[in-house]
Amino acid sequence: MNAVELLTVIHTAISLVGIASGLVVARWMLQGRDEPRWTALFLGTTVLTSASGFLFPFHRLLPSHVVGIVSLLVLAVVLWARYAAALQGRWARVFVIGSLLALWLNVFVLVAQLFAKVPALHALAPTQSEPPFGVVQLIVLAAFVWLTVQAARQPLPSTASGAAPRG
């Protein structure tokens, strides 16, 4: 296995852990619960996913790089909301919306990779400009919009000192 193949395996594994843990965190957000360890796992692996994408060799800026840059910018705000602002006031809603945006970006890339790498899906949308790809991405986007609206309506406990987070 060469270095790029190894990086691909590691990057993919980190991405999948980020997506799985993000879905767990999203479920708890819908309940207004705070789960610090799962949240840290989600945020850490999501940052690593976005950052490690820049380790692959490239000669020009690609759409995947733009997604990675946007994700890292969103995650910077999310990390501030979570750890510096301690989910106080509007920062709780910023944290929820930003976290779910970062998760959606990873799922968006996952869907694109599935259509690129899984032969049956690739046959349906070889250039990813065909209707099946667009329909799947639209369904994923709609699900995340619904999830984000619902989760943003739930209060999250502050993590400021003296306020004990639930979970």
Side-chain angles (χ1 to χ4, degrees), residues 119-141:
L121 294 175
H122 185 74
L124 292 173
T127 67
Q128 296 186 357
S129 61
E130 294 79 10
F133 179 78
V135 168
V136 171
Q137 290 290 23
L138 187 60
I139 290 167
V140 170
L141 175 61

Side-chain angles (χ1 to χ4, degrees), residues 25-134:
V25 169
R27 178 175 166 254
W28 286 326
M29 284 178 177
L30 286 173
Q31 300 168 0
R33 289 177 54 190
D34 180 38
E35 301 290 342
R37 289 184 191 106
W38 280 94
T39 300
L41 176 65
F42 162 61
L43 294 175
T45 53
T46 303
V47 167
L48 284 173
T49 297
S50 295
S52 67
F54 292 97
L55 298 177
F56 290 94
F58 65 95
H59 303 298
R60 62 182 173 85
L61 189 67
L62 300 170
S64 58
H65 298 121
V66 174
V67 170
I69 291 166
V70 169
S71 181
L72 288 169
L73 292 172
V74 168
L75 287 163
V77 174
V78 166
L79 290 166
W80 173 266
R82 170 76 188 180
Y83 298 108
L87 303 177
Q88 294 185 64
R90 67 179 176 184
W91 290 108
R93 185 164 284 142
V94 168
F95 168 75
V96 169
I97 294 167
S99 293
L100 294 174
L101 175 58
L103 178 58
W104 170 72
L105 288 169
N106 276 352
V107 173
F108 177 87
V109 172
L110 173 63
V111 170
Q113 288 298 312
L114 289 172
F115 271 89
K117 309 282 188 213
V118 175
L121 294 175
H122 185 74
L124 292 173
T127 67
Q128 296 186 357
S129 61
E130 294 79 10
F133 179 78

